[in-house]
Amino acid sequence: MISVDAYRESVTELLGRTPVTTLPLADAAGLVVAADVHAGVSLPPFDNSAMDGYAVRAADVAEAGPESPVTLPVADDIPAGRVDVAPLEPGTAHRIMTGAPMPPGADAIVMVEDTDAGTETVRITKAPAPGNHVRRTGEDVELGVVALHAGTVLGHAQLGLAAAVGLAEVAVYRPLSVLVVSTGTELVEAPNPLRHGQIYESNSVMLAAALRGLGCRVDVVRSVVDDVEEFRKIIEPKLADADLLVTSGGVSAGAYEVVKDALTGQGVQFQKIAIQPGGPQGNGHWNGVPVVTLPGNPVSVLVSFEAFLRPALLSAMGHTAVDRRRVRARLSEAMSSPSSRRQFRRGFYTPTEGEVTGVVGPRGGPGSHLLAAFTQANCLIVLPEGVSDVPEGTEVDVLLL
């Protein structure tokens, strides 16, 4: 059997790194910046008011107080967006709104709450210090500096910053286009009625959702029957538009293993991996397109996605943090595992206040068909190779989902 780590590395190498493309900001959410983004403007781009109030010379109102207000004529009104701001003459005030440019000569803002809100004259009851409520040019970002470094994941805040420094589009690693194929003559798509011996197809739904969650573009072919010629006829024409083909089912050692039968000798190697669940796997190229073949049981599909596909896909699209967060936790009950394999069990992790380790317990048994237990889990419990019986209270590794 191939080790989990060796097989993960082979899947990662299979995908490599996607090309760089330039996309509008609206289409770049979740993608990774491919080159440093330099600020085309300073943030703020000009000195501006942080408050609604009055722009003043601090020296003119230095003696202002509740018992000794200072009254100044209001010489101008400055709303946000005004571009022709006149200088502030000594002994006057300009009424100003939040975000409006500071008039030349002014060095402080008096909040409207510290005035009588006058429009012809204003009575000021609190003396501001120089610089009070003034946002300085470049206080956040200076012109020309790196605003977003290559490798940054574009969340909503990062996209907002890119827009604020003047970008309409950004260079990113192109999202992968993935063709997802589920196989099995027994599969039926809901809401069609089931006959005895049939089951509803779910693997493609899970995989497509997981892939889209990483930013991949996904095309789905559901419920391909266990016929080699039919498989090739349906899938081969779609390979031209795919960066990756991911299949589920048809890779075990029995008869009617359509994926294994169709792709053996075509550039895809099928192997047994030292993992539970999800031992039978395969990867390679078919007609020049990378292929990853997964087992058919739903929990095997999800565990294989977490162990092999997810890190490889993230790496291919430029991410540097590709692993789930790993913590240590004490088992709330005894567990067992085949010593020749690394077992991934669904679990529920609870942090323990004041302690480094939390507590974790399994959800459901080890069976690869027990999908409902996965919906009750918030982690995967990792029981390493060489371990068979794990007593209650043992510290184990936990991958937080």
Side-chain angles (χ1 to χ4, degrees):
M1 287 190 290
I2 308 299
S3 74
V4 170
D5 295 331
Y7 189 69
R8 167 176 159 157
E9 184 177 347
S10 73
V11 174
T12 299
E13 290 175 351
L14 178 76
L15 296 183
R17 180 64 60 84
T18 64
V20 174
T21 188
T22 300
L23 293 176
L25 296 185
D27 297 331
L31 302 182
V32 176
V33 177
D36 289 349
V37 172
H38 293 267
V41 296
S42 296
L43 292 182
F46 50 85
D47 291 356
N48 69 86
S49 175
M51 293 285 179
D52 294 335
Y54 296 84
V56 298
R57 295 172 184 260
D60 289 342
V61 292
E63 303 301 321
E67 305 302 323
S68 55
V70 173
T71 299
L72 297 176
V74 178
D76 204 353
D77 209 33
I78 311 174
R82 183 169 171 182
V83 296
D84 57 341
V85 177
L88 178 72
E89 298 298 332
T92 67
H94 288 180
R95 192 170 72 144
I96 194 168
M97 302 300 121
T98 301
M102 289 289 290
D107 62 1
I109 297 294
V110 179
M111 293 191 303
V112 69
E113 291 87 348
D114 296 324
T115 74
D116 65 351
T119 56
E120 299 295 328
T121 63
V122 60
R123 190 163 63 103
I124 296 169
T125 58
K126 185 176 181 180
N132 197 53
H133 300 312
V134 178
R135 300 167 176 163
R136 297 298 182 188
T137 303
E139 183 180 309
D140 188 15
V141 176
E142 295 182 353
L143 172 66
V145 304
V146 177
L148 294 170
H149 290 274
T152 299
V153 181
L154 290 168
H156 51 277
Q158 291 77 16
L159 289 167
L161 179 58
V165 298
L167 268 69
E169 54 188 22
V170 62
V172 295
Y173 292 103
R174 180 172 62 77
L176 284 160
S177 293
V178 184
L179 175 61
V180 173
V181 178
S182 63
T183 66
T185 302
E186 75 278 14
L187 301 179
V188 174
E189 295 178 30
N192 295 316
L194 292 178
R195 298 172 62 188
H196 184 70
Q198 296 180 325
I199 59 173
Y200 283 123
E201 196 279 321
S202 61
N203 285 346
S204 70
V205 176
M206 296 188 301
L207 278 171
L211 291 163
R212 291 188 181 108
L214 299 183
C216 297
R217 297 164 180 166
V218 183
D219 186 19
V220 177
V221 178
R222 302 180 69 181
S223 310
V224 178
V225 297
D226 293 325
D227 180 273
V228 169
E229 293 307 315
E230 186 72 9
F231 177 87
R232 290 175 175 165
K233 177 183 175 182
I234 293 172
I235 305 307
E236 276 192 291
K238 290 182 168 287
L239 294 177
D241 298 322
D243 299 313
L244 170 67
L245 168 64
V246 178
T247 67
S248 65
V251 295
S252 293
Y256 307 105
E257 303 294 345
V258 64
V259 174
K260 194 172 186 178
D261 293 342
L263 301 184
T264 295
Q266 302 295 311
V268 178
Q269 184 176 5
F270 294 89
Q271 300 167 315
K272 194 78 169 177
I273 315 304
I275 189 173
Q276 188 192 49
Q281 305 270 346
N283 74 76
H285 289 85
W286 183 26
N287 291 348
V289 176
V291 178
V292 174
T293 68
L294 307 179
N297 281 316
V299 177
S300 297
V301 168
L302 291 176
V303 168
S304 299
F305 176 82
E306 292 293 334
F308 307 126
L309 258 183
R310 183 180 183 274
L313 291 163
L314 288 174
S315 179
M317 294 188 290
H319 292 258
T320 54
V322 301
D323 293 312
R324 294 287 193 182
R325 183 185 168 204
R326 184 182 292 260
V327 298
R328 297 284 286 176
R330 299 186 310 276
L331 285 177
S332 62
E333 61 182 80
M335 296 179 64
S336 62
S337 175
S339 62
S340 61
R341 305 186 186 193
R342 186 180 306 178
Q343 188 183 68
F344 292 81
R345 288 281 296 276
R346 292 131 285 173
F348 194 88
Y349 169 78
T350 305
T352 304
E353 186 176 353
E355 296 186 28
V356 175
T357 57
V359 176
V360 68
R363 289 294 183 269
S368 59
H369 62 295
L370 302 175
L371 181 58
F374 218 124
T375 69
Q376 302 159 15
N378 65 1
C379 69
L380 289 174
I381 302 168
V382 184
L383 301 180
E385 301 89 334
V387 170
S388 54
D389 295 312
V390 188
E392 178 184 344
T394 302
E395 282 193 11
V396 294
D397 281 336
V398 170
L399 300 178
L400 301 182
L401 299 177

